[in-house]
Amino acid sequence: MTESYELYYWPTLPGRGEFVRLVMEAAGVSYVDVTRAGEIADGVGALKPLMYGQGEGHPAYAPPILKQGDFVLAQMPAICAFIGERHDFSPTGLQDRYHALQIILTIGDVATAAHDTHHPLGTTKFYEEQKAEALVTAQAFLQQNLPKQLNYFEAVLQKNGGEVLVGASLSYVDVALYHLLEGLAHAFPRGYAKTSELMPGLAALRNRAAALPRIRAYLASERRIDFNLDGIFRYYPELDLK
Ligand SMILES: N[C@@H](CCC(=O)N[C@@H](CS)C(=O)NCC(=O)O)C(=O)O
């Protein structure tokens, strides 16, 4: 397969697509962000025929979707692992590869939990129609889940030497965790700061990843979509810790 990678994701939000973008950017892999290449309506028009099993071959359910020629792959963790393994940005050896998979799947779980804080009743209703339920869900997330989740990532990091999550070199899971932490800190500045104050490994990982030349170049580019009120990590001050 030599054709270039195409990423299909919703054109106006970072969402789960951003994990994929950051992994490709950090690995130095070029790609076309198809739905953002022209008009928004055209972009959505290009994405929809690939969703819910409508595509050819092994079709996708939901975006992000990676395409290279006839090869189509969905599920954020699967795409990140595929790019990592194919482009020397993954641990090697069966056990380390599966430990990386364990971590990227956990990152995906936390991202889903963060999303559900503002949409606990589902995505068919706007946030404004479920604010009361969102407040209860967000407080439970911040008080009960987030401390355990951040402690888990800190423990994984420290038990692997403190620099990277798996193996001896930076890999796709470190970059994905960087984005998860950025997203959580954006959505819940008070909750994140309070929960992570005694987690030096996570703070250092964020700084190291943000300083990578490829990540810095990407963040400063027009390819980056900033966090907004349409993605997973949304800043609603009323949902944060008081
Ligand atoms: N577990 C999947 C979740 C995919 C997903 O929920 N995609 C969202 C956007 S982030 C979507 O467009 N879903 C459409 C739908 O569920 O109908 C992944 O990690 O990729």
Side-chain angles (χ1 to χ4, degrees):
M1 288 189 286
T2 53
E3 290 147 276
S4 63
Y5 289 115
E6 295 179 333
L7 172 65
Y8 290 78
Y9 193 69
W10 300 109
T12 57
L13 51 138
R16 289 183 177 86
E18 196 62 14
F19 291 97
V20 175
R21 287 191 197 95
L22 276 160
V23 165
M24 291 202 281
E25 296 277 349
V29 173
S30 62
Y31 60 97
V32 179
D33 204 340
V34 176
T35 70
R36 296 177 61 216
E39 297 293 318
I40 287 176
D42 295 346
V44 171
L47 167 62
K48 286 194 167 169
L50 295 180
M51 293 175 63
Y52 307 134
Q54 299 174 100
E56 299 299 317
H58 290 276
Y61 179 76
I65 300 167
L66 183 74
K67 207 167 172 295
Q68 188 184 39
D70 293 340
F71 176 68
V72 178
L73 186 66
Q75 288 284 354
M76 179 279 281
I79 299 171
C80 291
F82 175 81
I83 293 291
E85 296 205 9
R86 196 149 188 239
H87 296 278
D88 200 20
F89 201 45
S90 164
T92 52
L94 192 63
Q95 293 186 355
D96 276 355
R97 286 170 49 216
Y98 272 80
H99 283 142
L101 194 55
Q102 169 186 309
I103 294 166
I104 192 74
L105 287 165
T106 310
I107 289 170
D109 288 348
V110 179
T112 297
H115 172 270
D116 292 350
T117 61
H118 50 76
H119 276 79
L121 301 184
T123 49
T124 53
K125 289 179 192 293
F126 292 111
Y127 165 64
E128 288 71 21
E129 299 172 280
Q130 47 187 308
K131 284 179 85 164
E133 294 86 353
L135 183 59
V136 174
T137 309
Q139 293 301 303
F141 172 73
L142 291 172
Q143 288 164 22
Q144 292 156 33
N145 303 91
L146 191 65
K148 289 187 284 191
Q149 291 160 342
L150 293 187
N151 264 319
Y152 166 73
F153 291 121
E154 178 76 16
V156 172
L157 199 53
Q158 298 301 349
K159 288 176 185 187
N160 193 52
E163 294 271 308
V164 297
L165 288 161
V166 189
S169 319
L170 189 85
S171 73
Y172 73 90
V173 277
D174 300 297
V175 170
L177 181 60
Y178 157 71
H179 182 59
L180 178 74
L181 299 178
E182 291 299 311
L184 292 168
H186 170 81
F188 308 106
R190 295 170 75 95
Y192 183 84
K194 182 164 184 261
T195 308
S196 65
E197 65 187 352
L198 297 179
M199 301 180 190
L202 297 187
L205 180 141
R206 278 177 79 188
N207 290 337
R208 271 198 304 279
L212 292 170
R214 283 174 177 159
I215 299 274
R216 286 178 55 182
Y218 168 65
L219 295 179
S221 77
E222 291 190 347
R223 302 191 297 286
R224 166 76 166 188
I225 307 174
D226 287 331
F227 293 117
N228 58 33
L229 290 181
D230 282 322
I232 295 174
F233 304 109
R234 305 182 187 189
Y235 179 46
Y236 293 121
E238 62 274 20
L239 297 186
D240 199 358
L241 283 189
K242 297 293 165 268

